[in-house]
Amino acid sequence: MLKVIRSVLAAFFGVQSEANRQQDFQSTSPWKFIVVGVFMTLVFVFLVGFVAWLAAN
Amino acid sequence: MGRILYAYLYAASICLIVLSTTAQASSINTSSGFNMPPGVTEISREVYSLHMTILWICVAIAVVVFGVMFYSLIVYRKSKGAKPAHFHENTTVEIIWTAVPLVILVLMAVPATATLKKMYDTSDAELDVLVTGYQWRWRYEYLEEDVSFFSNLATPREQIYEAEEKGDFYLVEVDEPMVVPTGVKVRLLLTANDVIHSWWVPDLAVKKDAIPGFINETWFKVDEPGIYRGQCAELCGRDHAFMPIEVKAVSPDEYQLWLASRREAAEAEVAGADREWSLDELMERGAGTYNTYCAACHQPQGQGLPPMFPALAGVGMSVDPDGLRAHKEIVLYGKTGTAMPAFGSTLSAAELAAVITYERNAWGNDTGDLIQPSAIRAMLESQ
């Protein structure tokens, strides 16, 4: 699970090492990446909103 | 190797010196410079310094990036026996070239956001002016002062059609400037009557869209008296280039005098509808009104631009003795589905009567009809 989160974070940043990519593509189903990706996107949106809320108050 | 590096650094520093002197020269002479003007408000000066800071950051990045690029191109060229490296990726380098721009962008965003916050803070304004964009003029309504007027292009058509020498303020001069007191925070409420316009005065660092059905807010505070010019910045039709903005900042005392003179002029305009006008008077007034409000579409000699803008000279209701009623109605109420606006709500009774009289008697349209301002007022009041 931590590996999936790491891969999603690397995708957010836009840089992924070749070794990690090989490992990720061993997995037969893309679903865990998609689910974690959507979830992490929501977390990111919430974080940005929270920072904006902090700045506004 | 060393020689090339020195040559590059030498060339880069010469470029920087030339660039910085250009920037200085243009900050002295804003009208002919290549750079944006520093302007006359606290906000405009902040915008200018942001612009310069970001420009120099870009210049520094360009010097580094192109420096590395040209250095590599020259020093490691094939004829010198350089061998290409064969590797697929380097995660560390990729992380660095992603993180460095991110840091630079955030560093630029921090001061930019601080200035943007100030620009959007329209609270505590001492003067509210409703600015409405029309095709093709601006209307200024001083909300607490009961003063309202249109601001039209003042450049003569002869200059536009190159029959005369162009003046110093060609296309950036108006008949009635927007007058504001110095040292006062002025809030603008921007909207439009027909299509989207944009109120843009570079010296005030204000550029804001005026959109029909919406009200946008912005503000400025001028410290020094002066005349600051601008233009409509949103393509709005045929005469988009002919609806300039002129803001005249004067001392608060002068501003009060100006307000009084505007009120007096408005009262005189209303009183004008009480008396009988002669044909000559109406024709003279009508010619002025026609050139300001009608000639853009129907053309100075009434020949129009068919089929979009019908001719008025020699054809149609303006020359038809039975067309008087239809003529009055189309001028007062406009024509739905065409570019013809309703002038009943924008012009005074005297102006309306004069312009209709003019259209019915100029350019050989000798109907002899004489329309009195009182008749137009009666028509407007019956609505």
Side-chain angles (χ1 to χ4, degrees):
Chain A
M1 195 63 195
L2 263 175
K3 273 203 140 12
V4 178
I5 291 176
R6 238 194 82 164
S7 292
V8 169
L9 281 177
F12 275 14
F13 190 71
V15 179
Q16 171 81 294
S17 74
E18 181 63 19
N20 254 345
R21 192 185 75 82
Q22 294 288 1
Q23 209 169 41
D24 287 347
F25 274 73
Q26 308 260 305
S27 152
T28 48
S29 156
W31 282 108
K32 59 181 178 187
F33 294 101
I34 293 173
V35 171
V36 172
V38 167
F39 175 74
M40 299 272 286
T41 306
L42 292 175
V43 169
F44 179 72
V45 169
F46 176 79
L47 265 177
V48 170
F50 181 69
V51 170
W53 179 81
L54 275 186
N57 288 280
Chain B
M1 257 167 73
R3 242 184 333 159
I4 292 163
L5 187 63
Y6 286 133
Y8 173 75
L9 287 175
Y10 183 68
S13 49
I14 291 209
C15 287
L16 286 185
I17 291 164
V18 170
L19 265 175
S20 59
T21 44
T22 316
Q24 264 167 11
S26 58
S27 62
I28 295 160
N29 185 358
T30 56
S31 58
S32 66
F34 296 107
N35 203 358
M36 71 185 288
V40 294
T41 67
E42 193 196 322
I43 293 288
S44 75
R45 283 186 285 267
E46 268 187 43
V47 170
Y48 176 79
S49 80
L50 266 177
H51 161 74
M52 291 314 292
T53 310
I54 290 168
L55 173 75
W56 290 121
I57 292 175
C58 294
V59 168
I61 292 170
V63 167
V64 171
V65 170
F66 287 112
V68 171
M69 193 179 93
F70 282 112
Y71 180 82
S72 312
L73 278 174
I74 293 164
V75 174
Y76 300 104
R77 60 189 188 273
K78 197 179 174 187
S79 64
K80 283 260 182 169
K83 292 267 173 289
H86 291 284
F87 64 92
H88 179 258
E89 51 149 356
N90 185 331
T91 314
T92 320
V93 171
E94 285 173 33
I95 287 173
I96 290 171
W97 80 42
T98 310
V100 168
L102 183 75
V103 170
I104 295 173
L105 282 177
V106 170
L107 284 180
M108 293 198 293
V110 169
T113 309
T115 302
L116 270 179
K117 273 183 77 177
K118 282 190 212 166
M119 290 172 90
Y120 278 89
D121 178 16
T122 54
S123 60
D124 302 324
E126 292 170 68
L127 174 63
D128 283 332
V129 184
L130 175 62
V131 182
T132 311
Y134 283 72
Q135 284 177 315
W136 294 276
R137 55 191 51 84
W138 293 98
R139 179 184 213 167
Y140 299 97
E141 288 168 79
Y142 290 62
L143 294 180
E144 292 98 13
E145 305 290 351
D146 194 27
V147 161
S148 141
F149 59 91
F150 281 90
S151 185
N152 295 287
L153 175 74
T155 303
R157 297 218 156 240
E158 289 75 19
Q159 286 186 19
I160 296 168
Y161 293 109
E162 315 223 312
E164 263 178 28
E165 193 85 352
K166 295 189 192 326
D168 287 343
F169 302 111
Y170 179 68
L171 295 190
V172 286
E173 54 196 336
V174 299
D175 53 357
E176 288 290 343
M178 176 196 190
V179 177
V180 293
T182 51
V184 166
K185 183 169 180 176
V186 181
R187 174 164 55 185
L188 299 181
L189 305 162
L190 287 149
T191 187
N193 188 54
D194 30 49
V195 299
I196 302 178
H197 301 272
S198 184
W199 200 88
W200 176 40
V201 179
D203 278 327
L204 307 179
V206 171
K207 186 200 254 176
K208 199 92 178 163
D209 276 6
I211 308 170
F214 290 82
I215 292 183
N216 275 340
E217 285 184 35
T218 188
W219 68 276
F220 64 82
K221 183 171 158 186
V222 186
D223 298 322
E224 291 299 315
I227 294 175
Y228 310 108
R229 296 166 196 275
Q231 283 171 310
C232 178
E234 183 65 64
L235 190 56
C236 61
R238 193 174 180 277
D239 274 10
H240 162 62
F242 301 148
M243 49 180 294
I245 296 149
E246 199 179 313
V247 177
K248 191 176 171 192
V250 298
S251 69
D253 290 345
E254 255 180 273
Y255 170 70
Q256 288 304 329
L257 287 175
W258 174 80
L259 279 181
S261 77
R262 284 306 320 169
R263 286 198 196 101
E264 235 168 75
E267 274 165 30
E269 191 59 44
V270 173
D274 291 337
R275 62 182 180 87
E276 287 282 299
W277 289 52
S278 73
L279 182 63
D280 285 345
E281 264 184 306
L282 286 169
M283 286 297 280
E284 198 194 327
R285 184 77 198 268
T289 308
Y290 182 84
N291 283 325
T292 305
Y293 289 92
C294 316
C297 297
H298 295 295
Q299 300 299 293
Q301 295 305 313
Q303 72 272 34
L305 287 170
M308 236 338 236
F309 307 122
L312 304 179
V315 292
M317 63 178 75
S318 50
V319 73
D320 176 5
D322 300 324
L324 179 57
R325 188 165 179 82
H327 189 178
K328 280 188 201 164
E329 280 175 355
I330 198 167
V331 173
L332 265 62
Y333 312 131
K335 188 171 178 186
T336 314
T338 71
M340 179 69 189
F343 284 104
S345 55
T346 55
L347 297 180
S348 72
E351 283 172 315
L352 289 163
V355 83
I356 297 168
T357 305
Y358 179 76
E359 287 169 352
R360 299 188 73 75
N361 293 285
W363 328 296
N365 286 2
D366 301 317
T367 60
D369 287 332
L370 194 156
I371 295 94
Q372 285 299 336
S374 50
I376 296 292
R377 188 173 59 186
M379 229 177 127
L380 286 171
E381 279 169 3
S382 70
Q383 271 289 298

